[in-house]
Coordinates of all heavy atoms in Angstrom, one line a residue:
I18 N 36.0 8.0 38.2 CA 35.2 9.1 38.6 C 36.1 9.8 39.6 O 36.7 9.2 40.5 CB 33.9 8.5 39.3 CG1 33.0 7.8 38.3 CG2 33.1 9.7 40.0 CD1 31.8 7.1 38.9
H19 N 36.1 11.1 39.5 CA 37.0 11.9 40.4 C 36.2 13.0 41.1 O 35.3 13.7 40.5 CB 38.1 12.6 39.5 CG 39.0 13.4 40.4 ND1 40.0 12.8 41.2 CD2 39.2 14.7 40.5 CE1 40.7 13.7 41.8 NE2 40.2 14.9 41.4
I20 N 36.4 13.1 42.4 CA 35.8 14.1 43.2 C 36.9 15.0 43.7 O 37.8 14.6 44.4 CB 35.0 13.5 44.4 CG1 33.9 12.5 43.8 CG2 34.4 14.6 45.3 CD1 33.5 11.5 44.8
E21 N 36.8 16.3 43.4 CA 37.9 17.3 43.7 C 37.5 18.2 44.8 O 36.4 18.8 44.8 CB 38.2 18.1 42.4 CG 39.3 19.1 42.5 CD 40.7 18.4 42.6 OE1 40.8 17.3 42.1 OE2 41.6 19.1 43.0
Q22 N 38.3 18.2 45.8 CA 38.2 19.2 46.9 C 36.9 19.1 47.7 O 36.2 20.1 47.9 CB 38.5 20.6 46.5 CG 39.9 20.7 46.0 CD 40.4 22.2 45.8 OE1 39.8 23.1 46.3 NE2 41.5 22.3 45.1
L23 N 36.6 17.9 48.1 CA 35.4 17.7 49.0 C 35.8 18.2 50.4 O 36.7 17.7 51.0 CB 35.0 16.2 49.0 CG 33.9 15.9 50.0 CD1 32.6 16.5 49.5 CD2 33.7 14.3 50.1
K24 N 35.0 19.2 50.9 CA 35.3 19.7 52.2 C 34.6 18.9 53.3 O 33.4 18.6 53.2 CB 34.9 21.2 52.3 CG 35.7 22.1 51.4 CD 35.1 23.4 51.1 CE 35.8 24.2 50.1 NZ 35.9 23.6 48.8
L42 N 39.1 19.5 56.6 CA 40.0 18.8 55.7 C 39.5 18.8 54.3 O 38.3 19.1 54.2 CB 40.1 17.3 56.2 CG 40.5 17.0 57.6 CD1 40.3 15.5 57.9 CD2 41.9 17.4 57.9
V43 N 40.3 18.6 53.4 CA 39.8 18.6 52.0 C 40.2 17.2 51.4 O 41.4 16.8 51.5 CB 40.4 19.7 51.1 CG1 40.1 19.5 49.7 CG2 39.9 21.1 51.6
L44 N 39.3 16.6 50.7 CA 39.5 15.3 50.1 C 39.5 15.4 48.6 O 38.6 16.1 48.0 CB 38.4 14.3 50.5 CG 38.2 14.1 52.0 CD1 37.0 13.0 52.2 CD2 39.4 13.6 52.7
N45 N 40.4 14.7 48.0 CA 40.4 14.4 46.5 C 40.2 12.9 46.4 O 41.1 12.2 46.9 CB 41.6 14.9 45.8 CG 41.7 16.5 45.9 OD1 40.7 17.1 45.6 ND2 42.8 17.0 46.3
I46 N 39.2 12.5 45.8 CA 38.9 11.0 45.7 C 38.8 10.6 44.2 O 38.0 11.2 43.4 CB 37.6 10.7 46.4 CG1 37.6 11.2 47.8 CG2 37.3 9.2 46.3 CD1 36.2 11.1 48.5
T47 N 39.5 9.6 43.8 CA 39.4 9.0 42.5 C 39.0 7.6 42.7 O 39.6 6.9 43.5 CB 40.7 9.1 41.7 OG1 41.1 10.5 41.6 CG2 40.6 8.5 40.3
L48 N 38.0 7.2 42.0 CA 37.5 5.8 42.1 C 37.4 5.2 40.7 O 37.0 5.8 39.8 CB 36.2 5.7 42.9 CG 35.1 6.6 42.5 CD1 34.0 5.8 41.8 CD2 34.5 7.2 43.8
Y67 N 28.0 9.0 43.4 CA 29.1 9.7 44.0 C 28.5 10.7 45.0 O 29.2 11.1 46.0 CB 30.0 10.4 43.0 CG 29.3 11.2 41.9 CD1 28.9 12.5 42.1 CD2 29.2 10.7 40.6 CE1 28.3 13.2 41.1 CE2 28.6 11.4 39.6 CZ 28.1 12.7 39.9 OH 27.6 13.4 38.9
L70 N 28.3 8.6 48.1 CA 29.7 8.3 48.5 C 30.2 9.5 49.3 O 30.8 9.3 50.4 CB 30.6 8.0 47.3 CG 32.0 7.6 47.7 CD1 32.5 6.4 46.8 CD2 33.0 8.7 47.5
C71 N 30.0 10.7 48.8 CA 30.5 11.9 49.5 C 29.8 12.0 50.9 O 30.5 12.3 51.9 CB 30.3 13.1 48.7 SG 31.3 13.2 47.2
S107 N 41.5 5.9 45.3 CA 42.6 6.7 45.7 C 42.1 7.9 46.4 O 41.2 8.6 45.9 CB 43.5 7.1 44.5 OG 44.6 7.8 44.9
E109 N 43.2 11.4 48.6 CA 44.2 12.3 49.1 C 43.4 13.1 50.2 O 42.4 13.7 49.9 CB 44.7 13.3 48.1 CG 45.6 14.3 48.7 CD 46.0 15.5 47.7 OE1 45.2 15.8 46.8 OE2 47.0 16.1 47.9
R111 N 43.9 16.3 52.7 CA 44.7 17.5 53.0 C 44.3 18.1 54.3 O 43.1 18.3 54.6 CB 44.4 18.6 51.9 CG 44.9 18.2 50.5 CD 44.7 19.2 49.5 NE 45.2 18.8 48.2 CZ 45.1 19.6 47.1 NH1 44.6 20.8 47.1 NH2 45.6 19.1 45.9
Y120 N 49.3 23.2 52.8 CA 48.7 22.1 53.4 C 49.7 20.9 53.5 O 50.7 20.9 52.9 CB 47.4 21.6 52.7 CG 47.7 21.2 51.2 CD1 48.1 19.9 50.9 CD2 47.5 22.1 50.2 CE1 48.3 19.6 49.6 CE2 47.7 21.8 48.9 CZ 48.1 20.5 48.6 OH 48.4 20.1 47.3

Side-chain angles (χ1 to χ4, degrees):
I18 296 172
H19 183 72
I20 301 157
E21 182 74 20
Q22 296 193 18
L23 176 66
K24 292 163 187 61
L42 304 174
V43 170
L44 307 179
N45 293 312
I46 304 171
T47 302
L48 52 104
Y67 50 82
L70 184 137
C71 289
S107 181
E109 177 192 26
R111 294 179 180 182
Y120 59 86

